[in-house]
């Protein structure tokens, strides 16, 4: 059977095996997908070993996305733009590095949730690896403006330099309200909320947290309390990026909605 895996550290709580096994059942693909804990200094050797043993594809999660970018023989355009790789595939050209995170987010927002991005004023919270991966795909949807707010302003400024549509800000000095707010900080992991003025949310604002959990995140609760129109967590992004990796490997697009439900029921 064709072998796939997700590499990370930690990896115990990865939902990827559950998601890909469900995709394989849904689309009747004969494949096996496992999770593998990789030593912090052992990524490249583990990846070489995996492909040498006949493995067909890998998903890469924290903290190896930059090393996977360096490891790949060839890169897709979106991997080059993100400067990070979450999907490795065996191809005729060698090991190809791709990044499906941005696709997963945009597909969730525009298709599953049906929230428009075109012509809307967008606020992104955070300027780390997660945000870098979604910026180009987001700009492809032609928002009217994107503001990146980050605790460390210089990181936001660096990302903002890619397009005149994008500007950088500190949280406290954010001006006016936004149509769409995407939380890409890891602050909610610690139960923290960036110190934004409440005026960033109005009654039409849609708020998306790239994090997810059994219960609404701190960011989602904050947005609901301020009367935001809609809130969503990042489970759909997780399943969406997996679906795009699966498509890259198997040439078949799984249906994401039933799998999002299935994973949510087990959170
Ligand atoms: P990831 O790959 O998940 O994006 P990262 O590159 O370490 O991880 O980035 C984490 C992001 O969350 C950064 O934007 C970070 O802000 P800094 O650039 O100032 O470090 C942000 N972040 C983490 N904890 C935060 C907190 N308690 N409040 C606000 N922002 C926080």
């Amino acid at each position: 059977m064709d072998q796939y895996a997700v590499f990370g550290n930690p990896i115990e709580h990865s939902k990827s095996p559950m998601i890909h096994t469900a995709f394989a059942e849904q689309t009747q693909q004969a494949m096996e997908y496992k999770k593998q804990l990789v030593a912090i200094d052992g990524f490249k050797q583990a990846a070489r070993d995996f492909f040498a043993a006949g493995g067909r594809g890998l998903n890469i999660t924290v903290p190896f996305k930059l090393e996977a970018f360096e490891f790949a023989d060839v890169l897709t355009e979106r991997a080059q733009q993100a400067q990070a790789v979450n999907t490795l595939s065996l191809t005729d050209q060698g090991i190809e590095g791709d990044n499906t995170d941005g696709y997963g987010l945009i597909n969730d927002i525009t298709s599953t949730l049906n929230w428009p991005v075109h012509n809307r004023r967008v606020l992104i919270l955070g300027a780390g690896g997660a945000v870098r991966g979604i910026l180009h795909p987001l700009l492809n949807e032609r928002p009217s403006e994107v503001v990146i707010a980050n605790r460390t302003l210089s990181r936001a400024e660096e990302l903002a330099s890619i397009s005149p549509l994008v500007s950088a800000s500190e949280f406290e000095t954010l001006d006016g309200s936004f149509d769409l707010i995407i939380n890409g900080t890891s602050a909610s992991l610690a139960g923290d909320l960036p110190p934004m003025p409440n005026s960033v949310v109005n009654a039409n604002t849609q708020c998306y947290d790239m994090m997810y959990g059994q219960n609404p995140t701190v960011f989602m609760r904050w947005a609901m309390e301020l009367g935001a129109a809609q809130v969503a967590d990042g489970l759909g992004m997780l399943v969406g990026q997996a679906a795009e990796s699966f498509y890259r490997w198997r040439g078949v697009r799984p249906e994401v909605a039933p799998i999002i439900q299935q994973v949510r029921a087990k959170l």
Side-chain angles (χ1 to χ4, degrees):
M1 251 205 269
D2 291 345
Q3 298 293 320
Y4 298 86
V6 57
F7 279 12
N9 188 335
I11 200 66
E12 191 47 39
H13 297 291
S14 173
K15 308 266 180 283
S16 293
M18 187 205 299
I19 293 169
H20 282 277
T21 303
F23 287 164
E25 271 170 31
Q26 186 199 73
T27 61
Q28 301 189 315
Q29 295 287 303
M31 57 182 275
E32 199 168 41
Y33 188 109
K34 294 178 175 162
K35 61 186 171 203
Q36 186 171 327
L37 178 69
V38 172
I40 292 297
D41 60 355
F43 173 76
K44 283 178 185 159
Q45 190 58 51
R48 270 195 294 272
D49 292 348
F50 177 83
F51 285 107
R56 301 291 296 267
L58 286 176
N59 281 134
I60 311 300
T61 185
V62 176
F64 300 124
K65 290 185 187 185
L66 284 176
E67 275 189 90
F69 177 79
E70 291 160 8
F71 177 80
D73 300 317
V74 284
L75 293 165
T76 62
E77 192 185 342
R78 55 194 184 184
Q80 279 165 9
Q81 287 170 340
Q83 298 278 299
V85 157
N86 78 333
T87 307
L88 291 170
S89 313
L90 185 65
T91 72
D92 294 342
Q93 285 75 45
I95 308 294
E96 179 202 78
D98 192 9
N99 192 313
T100 65
D101 288 331
Y103 175 92
L105 173 81
I106 298 302
N107 189 59
D108 196 35
I109 289 182
T110 61
S111 297
T112 306
L113 295 167
N114 214 5
W115 297 356
V117 175
H118 180 49
N119 264 336
R120 303 186 87 216
R121 187 168 192 242
V122 181
L123 170 61
I124 301 179
L125 309 175
V131 169
R132 197 175 49 217
I134 62 151
L135 201 50
H136 275 96
L138 186 73
L139 288 172
N140 288 342
E141 298 298 312
R142 293 182 296 133
S144 60
E145 185 190 350
V146 175
V147 178
I148 302 177
N150 198 44
R151 185 173 58 183
T152 313
L153 182 62
S154 59
R155 291 183 89 190
E157 285 170 340
E158 200 179 309
L159 287 185
S161 66
I162 70 159
S163 160
L165 279 187
V166 187
S167 60
S169 173
E170 276 163 340
F171 292 121
E172 294 84 349
T173 53
L174 281 165
D175 197 23
S177 65
F178 292 83
D179 302 310
L180 172 63
I181 305 179
I182 299 171
N183 181 25
T185 69
S186 47
S188 44
L189 281 179
D192 278 347
L193 194 66
M196 296 163 280
N198 291 345
S199 54
V200 294
V201 172
N202 69 35
N204 295 314
T205 307
Q206 292 165 319
C207 293
Y208 191 96
D209 199 338
M210 287 166 69
M211 299 275 162
Y212 62 86
Q214 202 176 7
N215 299 306
T217 65
V218 188
F219 169 75
M220 290 163 73
R221 291 203 303 269
W222 166 84
M224 285 188 281
E225 275 162 26
L226 291 176
Q230 282 164 301
V231 300
D233 74 6
L235 190 63
M237 174 180 177
L238 176 78
V239 177
Q241 61 78 29
E244 185 68 1
S245 298
F246 189 91
Y247 174 65
R248 180 70 199 81
W249 294 330
R250 309 300 301 182
V252 188
R253 254 182 217 292
E255 213 187 311
V256 292
I259 311 300
I260 295 173
Q261 275 187 1
Q262 208 173 309
V263 180
R264 172 122 17 234
K266 289 183 182 153
L267 282 180

